[in-house]
């Protein structure tokens, strides 16, 4: 899809379709009022006759509008103006996209970016519009033998900005939206692939390809014997039961001075999580192909960062393994030595994410990072605690937690903080090793984070548990690409803070 921005009034647009908002109850948006005046009150008479209430989800396509230069007018219900928030705005844009897909128009000019969204400026609305349209049009049909394309697909969208002065900001917002969407799409595509295709080796190959596409990225992948030599006993214990060899993927993005300490992003890359010997029940086990969504979001954020050429140093570290039961697999009760030297009694082989992450987090120390953020589909308990709307956020550094919460709000990809208190550490005590890898059912998302905290004492660190947010379950099953928007926003905010 092609996007551009334009300032000017709706009645002057020669376009295949004009998109205008209508509020509930039967109230024209400002842009719709302008158009209405030019077409002799055609729109207000439609509202008066009761054909368009303005409710969220409603749409009405008009043709042969009197005096109009455009071929069609698409009215989109926006709900009550004072209720128009981030989420409703995205919904309105998605509704408009679906409605446009059902018209013959291949091009449109949208004035939805002129709607009043509480506390949001034009650039925000433009970026979110791009992201929401891309989201509405995403399909994963690579693996279907026959695919159906829309008859006359929408190819070009022109977004309104309120004045000429806003054009440059608007264009920048389009670029950001497209870069973030590129990251989201990469993350979704990798995540939606089944585990017989998306193996640790495949993930490494994809990271290598990303580095080939963006030469500022340097690629490296450590093999099993290299991981053995380093002493990553915790990571290797997880991959032992699998026929697929593990990889530690490292992507270095260097686009700032050397003394600029890097931000390290660590993504859980379990390409399939059967639970290992602590085998999971069969129901919905297919969804454990999504257990590499943390890894996918790291690749997505790096892609967006490279596309926007952000003046930062960022390192992506992805421990990639498959968790399988077999004669070689780790047993409950086995004790391993992590890269940090701390020993771990593996009481449950299904708590594997923390085992690969702890070694990757220790490995991140060698980059002398300013900040370390790990992203992981870590616990079912996080879904129980928070549901599927926010990411779970934990941090040993309150300013970092705040920055991430703010980035999530700005990007409409929100996180919610959970406590990382010392009290919870007790549950990880082991009679035989420095710690156990599980802490019982209560507060499971928190005790998992506490486990990771034992490996990040030297750095400012945050952990995002994306178990509830990385994919949708049920009829619309599919990856969401989250938290690529939050992560990219955080990087954009770092740039703004450091260079202004
Ligand atoms: N990948 C899972 C977490 C998960 C489960 C995410 C379901 C999304 C949906 C993780 O490796 C896991 O199995 N965690 C266990 C931990 C437990 C054994 C302490 C869990 O959450 O049950
Ligand atoms: Mn597991
Ligand atoms: Zn897992």
């Amino acid at each position: 899809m092609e996007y551009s921005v334009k300032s000017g009034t709706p009645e002057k647009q020669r376009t295949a379709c004009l998109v205008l908002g209508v509020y509930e109850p039967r109230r024209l948006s400002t842009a719709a009022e302008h158009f209405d005046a030019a077409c002799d009150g055609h729109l207000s008479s439609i509202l008066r006759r009761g054909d368009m209430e303005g409710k969220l989800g409603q749409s009405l396509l008009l043709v042969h509008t009197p005096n109009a230069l455009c071929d069609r007018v698409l009215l989109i219900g926006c709900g009550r103006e004072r209720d128009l928030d981030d989420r409703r705005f995205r919904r309105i844009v998605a509704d408009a996209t679906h409605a446009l897909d059902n018209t013959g128009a291949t091009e449109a000019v949208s004035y939805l970016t002129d709607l009043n969204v509480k506390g949001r400026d034009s650039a925000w609305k433009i970026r979110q519009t791009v992201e929401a349209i891309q989201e509405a049009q995403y399909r994963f049909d690579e693996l279907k033998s026959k695919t159906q394309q829309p008859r006359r697909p929408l190819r070009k969208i022109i977004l309104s900005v309120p004045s000429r002065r806003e054009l440059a900001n608007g264009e920048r917002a389009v670029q950001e939206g497209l870069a973030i969407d590129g990251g989201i799409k990469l993350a979704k595509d990798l995540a939606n692939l089944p585990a017989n295709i998306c193996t640790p080796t495949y993930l490494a190959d994809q990271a290598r390809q990303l580095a080939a596409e963006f030469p500022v990225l340097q690629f490296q992948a450590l093999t099993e014997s290299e991981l053995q030599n380093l002493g990553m006993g915790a990571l290797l214990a997880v991959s032992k039961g699998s026929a697929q060899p593990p990889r530690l993927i490292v992507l270095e993005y260097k686009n700032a001075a050397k003394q600029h300490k890097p931000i390290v992003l660590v993504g859980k890359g379990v390409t399939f999580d059967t639970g290992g010997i602590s085998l999971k029940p069969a129901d919905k086990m297919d969804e454990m192909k999504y257990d590499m969504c943390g890894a996918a979001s790291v690749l997505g954020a790096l892609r967006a960062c490279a596309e926007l050429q952000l003046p930062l140093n960022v390192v992506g570290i992805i421990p990639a393994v498959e968790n399988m039961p077999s004669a070689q697999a780790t047993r409950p009760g086995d004790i391993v030595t992590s890269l940090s030297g701390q020993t771990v009694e593996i009481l449950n082989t299904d708590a594997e994410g923390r085992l690969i992450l702890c070694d990757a987090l220790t490995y991140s120390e060698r980059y002398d990072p300013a900040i370390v953020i790990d992203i992981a589909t870590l616990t079912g308990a996080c879904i129980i605690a928070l549901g599927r709307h926010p990411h779970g956020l934990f941090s040993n550094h309150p300013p970092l937690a705040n920055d991430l919460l703010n980035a999530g709000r700005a990007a409409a990809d929100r996180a919610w903080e959970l406590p990382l208190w010392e009290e919870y550490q007790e549950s990880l005590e082991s009679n035989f090793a420095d710690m156990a890898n599980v802490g019982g059912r209560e507060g499971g998302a928190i005790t998992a984070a506490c486990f990771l905290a034992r490996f990040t004492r030297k750095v400012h660190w945050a952990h995002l548990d994306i178990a509830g947010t990385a994919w949708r379950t049920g009829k619309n099953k599919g990856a969401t690409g989250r938290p690529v928007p939050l992560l990219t926003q955080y990087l954009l905010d770092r740039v703004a803070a450091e260079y202004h």
Side-chain angles (χ1 to χ4, degrees):
M1 180 85 72
E2 202 189 306
Y3 295 91
S4 57
V5 294
K6 191 174 185 181
S7 78
T9 49
E11 66 277 11
K12 302 241 175 73
Q13 308 303 321
R14 282 181 196 283
T15 172
C17 192
L18 203 59
V19 185
L20 301 170
V22 176
Y23 294 115
E24 192 184 349
R26 286 178 271 152
R27 274 195 43 232
L28 295 173
S29 62
T30 312
E33 266 173 8
H34 278 262
F35 185 81
D36 190 48
C39 65
D40 304 332
H42 186 64
L43 300 188
S44 27
S45 77
I46 286 172
L47 299 197
R48 231 176 297 115
R49 283 189 311 218
D51 291 323
M52 180 79 185
E53 193 55 35
K55 282 198 196 313
L56 210 59
Q58 252 191 327
S59 70
L60 185 65
L61 184 72
L62 311 177
V63 291
H64 301 308
T65 312
N67 307 333
L69 297 177
C70 57
D71 302 338
R72 307 168 185 76
V73 177
L74 179 62
L75 300 180
I76 298 291
C78 299
R80 290 185 187 274
E81 185 169 17
R82 66 180 145 79
D83 294 340
L84 183 48
D85 59 6
D86 297 3
R87 208 170 51 92
R88 284 172 176 243
F89 181 70
R90 300 253 326 200
R91 162 84 195 277
I92 289 163
V93 174
D95 288 344
T97 309
H98 291 130
L100 279 170
D101 276 337
N102 290 326
T103 72
T106 58
E107 167 258 351
V109 180
S110 170
Y111 281 83
L112 298 177
T113 44
D114 287 352
L115 295 172
N116 266 322
V117 183
K118 272 181 243 165
R120 299 304 190 183
D121 62 10
S122 171
W124 186 92
K125 286 179 280 185
I126 286 176
R127 191 176 108 188
Q128 288 294 325
T129 299
V130 172
E131 289 180 38
I133 293 175
Q134 295 295 112
E135 160 87 24
Q137 301 214 317
Y138 177 83
R139 298 279 175 287
F140 184 77
D141 44 23
E142 281 171 43
L143 301 176
K144 291 194 188 268
S145 58
K146 291 190 216 65
T147 65
Q148 0 156 286
Q149 304 299 334
R151 197 171 41 88
R152 297 192 65 187
L154 199 59
R155 281 204 322 270
K156 186 169 175 18
I157 297 241
I158 298 153
L159 303 173
S160 160
V161 290
S163 71
R164 285 256 198 86
R165 278 184 298 121
E166 293 285 334
L167 282 173
N169 280 338
E171 272 156 24
R172 177 72 192 163
V174 167
Q175 282 173 359
E176 285 179 5
L178 285 174
I180 291 168
D181 177 65
I184 291 174
K185 178 163 167 36
L186 174 63
K188 283 182 181 173
D189 284 348
L190 287 172
N192 285 329
L193 283 172
N196 61 327
I197 296 174
C198 185
T199 60
T201 314
Y202 183 92
L203 269 185
D205 288 341
Q206 293 302 304
R208 187 199 318 269
Q209 269 191 32
L210 189 64
E213 192 180 336
F214 296 96
V216 295
L217 288 171
Q218 279 164 25
F219 165 84
Q220 206 186 323
L222 307 189
T223 61
E224 183 155 29
S225 60
E226 289 169 316
L227 299 176
Q228 266 155 6
N229 293 338
L230 276 167
M232 292 206 178
L235 184 156
L236 290 165
V238 178
S239 88
K240 256 178 77 186
S242 172
Q244 296 293 335
R247 289 285 182 270
L248 186 79
I249 303 163
V250 181
L251 279 174
E252 289 178 58
Y253 172 85
K254 288 189 196 155
N255 202 27
K258 256 216 188 83
Q259 63 271 22
H260 220 103
K261 291 187 179 187
I263 296 158
V264 176
L265 303 178
V266 178
K268 173 179 174 183
V270 175
T271 58
F272 198 81
D273 181 11
T274 63
I277 297 297
S278 313
L279 192 63
K280 286 186 180 294
D283 186 45
K284 290 193 188 163
M285 208 211 272
D286 67 291
E287 294 187 10
M288 283 299 112
K289 72 174 183 180
Y290 288 121
D291 214 14
M292 37 58 73
C293 281
S297 75
V298 169
L299 294 177
L302 280 170
R303 186 180 212 293
C305 180
E307 182 103 49
L308 292 169
Q309 302 179 355
L310 299 185
L312 294 170
N313 294 324
V314 185
V315 182
I317 301 180
I318 294 171
V321 302
E322 186 183 51
N323 187 22
M324 296 289 270
S326 82
Q328 279 75 48
T330 293
R331 295 152 287 253
D334 284 3
I335 294 177
V336 297
T337 304
S338 67
L339 179 61
S340 71
Q342 299 179 92
T343 58
V344 181
E345 183 184 18
I346 302 177
L347 288 175
N348 189 322
T349 63
D350 196 11
E352 85 297 340
R354 60 198 82 180
L355 295 173
I356 66 171
L357 288 170
C358 73
D359 279 349
L361 287 166
T362 303
Y363 189 78
S364 75
E365 284 173 16
R366 69 170 57 201
Y367 293 97
D368 188 22
I371 297 286
V372 177
I373 304 168
D374 79 72
I375 306 101
T377 47
L378 201 62
T379 64
C382 189
I383 312 177
I384 303 299
L386 295 177
R388 295 182 184 271
H389 304 297
H391 316 295
L393 169 68
F394 302 84
S395 180
N396 63 9
H397 186 58
L400 174 59
N402 268 326
D403 288 350
L404 290 169
L405 289 169
N406 284 332
R409 284 185 204 110
D413 182 16
R414 286 179 296 180
W416 191 261
E417 192 175 7
L418 293 169
L420 191 67
W421 298 336
E422 214 47 48
E423 287 90 317
Y424 292 96
Q425 287 288 355
E426 275 171 31
S427 67
L428 293 171
E429 280 165 14
S430 157
N431 288 348
F432 308 109
D434 295 342
M435 69 194 85
N437 77 326
V438 287
R441 274 168 42 80
E442 296 178 3
I446 302 172
T447 53
C450 283
F451 180 94
L452 300 178
R454 295 178 179 228
F455 298 83
T456 52
R457 297 235 142 94
K458 297 177 193 159
V459 289
H460 291 162
W461 158 77
H463 158 60
L464 286 165
D465 193 330
I466 59 167
T469 51
W471 74 90
R472 278 184 304 273
T473 182
K475 189 161 75 44
N476 292 321
K477 194 191 295 181
T480 61
R482 294 178 67 188
V484 170
L486 179 153
L487 293 172
T488 312
Q489 185 66 49
Y490 175 72
L491 298 177
L492 283 163
D493 292 348
R494 293 278 305 199
V495 173
E498 284 170 39
Y499 293 88
H500 293 291

